[in-house]
Amino acid sequence: MRVPLLDLSAQYDLLAEPIRREFDEILRTQNFILGPKVEEFERALAEYCGARHAIGVSSGTDAQLAILMALGLAPGDAVITTAYTFFATAGCIARLGATPLFVDIDPATFNISPAALAQFLQRHCRRNAANQVIDGAGRTVRAIIPVHLFGLCCEMDPINEIAARYELTVIEDAAQAIGAEYPSKAGMRQAGTMSLVGSFSFYPSKNLGAAGDAGAIVCDDDGLAQRFRIFRQHGMEPRYFHHFIGGNFRLDALQAAILKVKLPYLNRWSAARRAVADIYREEFSRSRLTNRITLPAEPYRERGLTNHHIYHQFVIRTPRRDELQQHLTARGIGSAIYYPLGLHEQKCFAGLGYGPGDLLETERAARETLALPIYPELTLEMQREVVDVIAEFFA
Ligand SMILES: *Cc1c(COP(=O)(O)O)cnc(C)c1O
C-alpha cells in the first residue's frame, strides 16, 4: 500500500462547495485586492487566536519581512534565532542587512533552548553605554525569534523572561503552529500571541492552508498593527503618500476567502492529527520500536490544554535515518527530512563564520530526524502499514 506524506485532496472534497461559492462571488465582483473578504478573515483569525489584531499578508515569509521592516531592523543589527528551522526565519533578517545569530535547540523538542539562549547572551554579549545589547562583533542585538517548530510551542515563559532582562523584542515565528497552546504562568496562550508580534504561514501544506501563498501577522498593539498595515502597502497612507519604504505584502481576497471557509475546521483537524499521533505511539510501542526510534516529545500534554501539540509534523529520530528513509521510499511510504542542514551550515550563510560543531544538537537533529505521514484523513490501515514497514527495517 502506498502512503503519501500528505494528501490534501480529501480536505478539498469536504469543502469544495463553500469554497467554490466564495470564489464565484469574488470573480463576479472582481474585488481581488484586500476588501471585505480579507477583513472578514482577519477578524475571524484574531478572534481564533485571542489577539486584538490580525493582518493578512502574502506569505509567512512576507509576514516576517514586513514585521522586521516595520520594527526598523537595519544593517549593524542582529537577531537571535534558531538554525533548525525553515530558511525564511533567518533569510528575512539577512535580507534587511542584519545578522542572524544562532543558538542551539533543545534535543527533546527541537525548539530553541532557553538555557542556550541565556548562555549566549551571558557569554557573547555585553551592554554598551546606552544599555543596548552588543554581540562579540559589535552588532546591536535587537530581537529574539523563537520558532514553534512542528506544531509545538517553545518554552515562552523563560524566553520572555530572558528577553525582558535584556530588553529585547520577541517575535514569534508561528508558521507551523497555528492554534498550538502553551501553559504560560499567566494562563493558556496561543502560538503567535505570547510576544510583541507573531507570524503565520498558510502555505498549502501548513495546518491551515490556502490555495497558494498566504500568511498573517498578529499583535495586540493598535499602533503597531496600523504600522504593519501601512508596510503591507508600500508604506503608503493615504494612497500615493509614502511614509516608509514598505512592500507589496497584501493577502489576496481569494486566499482570504478559502482560509475563512477552512478556519472553523482547524481545531477539529488538529484533534484528528493528535489522534493519529496517539495511534503512532500505540503502534510503535506494540511493535517494540520505542527503543529504536525516539518519538516526538509532548511536554505540555497533561497541563489542561487542548491543542498542547498540533502535529504539523510527526517527527521521529534515529541515527539510521538515511537508511530508514530509503527503505520507506522503496516501500512506497512518504517521508521527509526537516531539515537536512542547520541554517548555520547553509552555503548562503557561510559568511557568518559558523562551522560544524558550533550547534551540536541542531547538527545531530539534521542527521537523525524523519517526518512521517500525518494528516487528519490518514487511515488506521495506512498508519499500520507505516509502522510495519519501519518494524521490517529494524527487524
Ligand atoms: C513555512 C514557514 C515559513 C514561511 O512561510 P511561507 O508562507 O512559505 O513563506 C517560515 N517559517 C517557518 C518555520 C515555516 O515553516
Side-chain angles (χ1 to χ4, degrees):
M1 185 191 346
R2 280 198 65 255
V3 184
L5 180 66
L6 179 64
D7 177 3
L8 293 169
S9 54
Q11 189 187 76
Y12 177 63
D13 291 343
L14 172 75
L15 299 174
E17 274 303 307
I19 289 171
R20 289 212 193 101
R21 266 200 306 277
E22 289 283 337
F23 277 26
D24 278 347
E25 187 191 330
I26 293 169
L27 292 167
R28 219 171 25 244
T29 60
Q30 296 283 300
N31 247 331
F32 297 119
I33 303 295
L34 298 179
K37 295 290 174 194
V38 171
E39 286 162 26
E40 277 173 48
F41 171 64
E42 289 177 337
R43 274 195 298 276
L45 178 64
E47 185 176 347
Y48 173 80
C49 50
R52 263 178 76 77
H53 301 281
I55 298 111
V57 294
S58 36
S59 69
T61 304
D62 286 347
Q64 291 186 283
L65 187 62
I67 291 168
L68 295 176
M69 286 172 86
L71 295 179
L73 197 75
D77 289 341
V79 177
I80 302 174
T81 188
T82 164
Y84 195 59
T85 176
F86 179 60
F87 169 77
T89 315
C92 292
I93 300 167
R95 279 168 71 179
L96 295 177
T99 304
L101 302 174
F102 298 117
V103 304
D104 214 351
I105 54 169
D106 175 340
T109 62
F110 307 112
N111 282 330
I112 192 167
S113 153
L117 173 64
Q119 198 177 72
F120 176 82
L121 283 160
Q122 208 164 38
R123 293 204 184 150
H124 300 287
C125 300
R126 62 184 172 83
R127 301 283 197 136
N128 67 8
N131 217 25
Q132 290 170 310
V133 180
I134 307 297
D135 83 341
R139 307 174 191 108
T140 311
V141 182
R142 297 277 312 274
I144 302 167
I145 305 184
V147 181
H148 306 304
L149 205 67
F150 303 148
L152 178 72
C153 284
C154 295
E155 289 177 72
M156 289 305 292
D157 279 346
I159 291 169
N160 280 327
E161 276 163 35
I162 295 163
R165 210 182 308 146
Y166 289 89
E167 295 169 79
L168 297 174
T169 299
V170 179
I171 301 161
E172 291 160 83
D173 180 344
Q176 301 187 5
I178 187 166
E181 297 169 349
Y182 173 74
S184 144
K185 281 185 297 199
M188 188 280 280
R189 290 288 184 279
Q190 269 196 38
T193 69
M194 296 181 274
S195 59
L196 184 70
V197 51
S199 62
F200 294 119
S201 164
F202 306 121
Y203 184 80
S205 66
K206 298 279 158 79
N207 287 33
L208 180 64
D213 282 304
I217 299 171
V218 289
C219 71
D220 283 333
D221 186 273
D222 298 351
L224 201 56
Q226 184 58 17
R227 204 174 158 86
F228 293 139
R229 288 184 193 285
I230 293 172
F231 268 84
R232 168 175 77 172
Q233 293 231 71
H234 300 290
M236 176 170 85
E237 173 66 29
R239 189 173 277 232
Y240 306 132
F241 289 84
H242 299 264
H243 301 250
F244 315 105
I245 301 171
N248 176 357
F249 304 133
R250 292 179 299 247
L251 174 65
D252 286 333
L254 285 165
Q255 301 301 351
I258 192 170
L259 291 166
K260 194 187 55 143
V261 170
K262 286 185 174 188
L263 184 59
Y265 296 86
L266 182 58
N267 280 347
R268 248 170 283 176
W269 291 333
S270 296
R273 284 169 178 268
R274 271 193 302 282
V276 166
D278 281 345
I279 290 170
Y280 269 137
R281 268 171 216 287
E282 285 165 28
E283 294 292 318
F284 280 127
S285 100
R286 212 169 46 85
S287 305
R288 303 187 192 291
L289 285 169
T290 47
N291 57 345
R292 302 289 198 149
I293 59 172
T294 308
L295 297 175
E298 297 187 323
Y300 313 133
R301 185 170 186 128
E302 308 299 340
R303 312 263 197 100
L305 304 180
T306 306
N307 284 325
H308 64 88
H309 200 316
I310 62 154
Y311 283 104
H312 173 57
Q313 299 294 347
F314 187 90
V315 174
I316 62 168
R317 68 189 299 164
T318 160
R320 297 176 63 194
R321 190 269 312 274
D322 291 338
E323 290 167 79
L324 174 60
Q325 186 177 37
Q326 277 167 18
H327 180 79
L328 287 167
T329 306
R331 295 289 192 283
I333 310 285
S335 67
I337 296 170
Y338 304 113
Y339 297 88
L341 262 192
L343 294 183
H344 67 300
E345 295 191 279
Q346 294 289 354
K347 206 169 186 175
C348 68
F349 289 137
L352 297 177
Y354 291 91
D358 283 343
L359 298 167
L360 285 171
E361 292 301 345
T362 298
E363 291 161 33
R364 194 162 68 87
R367 284 193 304 270
E368 295 187 349
T369 56
L370 191 63
L372 300 181
I374 191 164
Y375 45 94
E377 300 81 7
L378 194 68
T379 64
L380 179 60
E381 201 189 5
M382 289 163 117
Q383 285 198 263
R384 288 204 166 129
E385 174 76 3
V386 174
V387 174
D388 287 349
V389 171
I390 295 175
E392 184 185 274
F393 172 77
F394 283 108

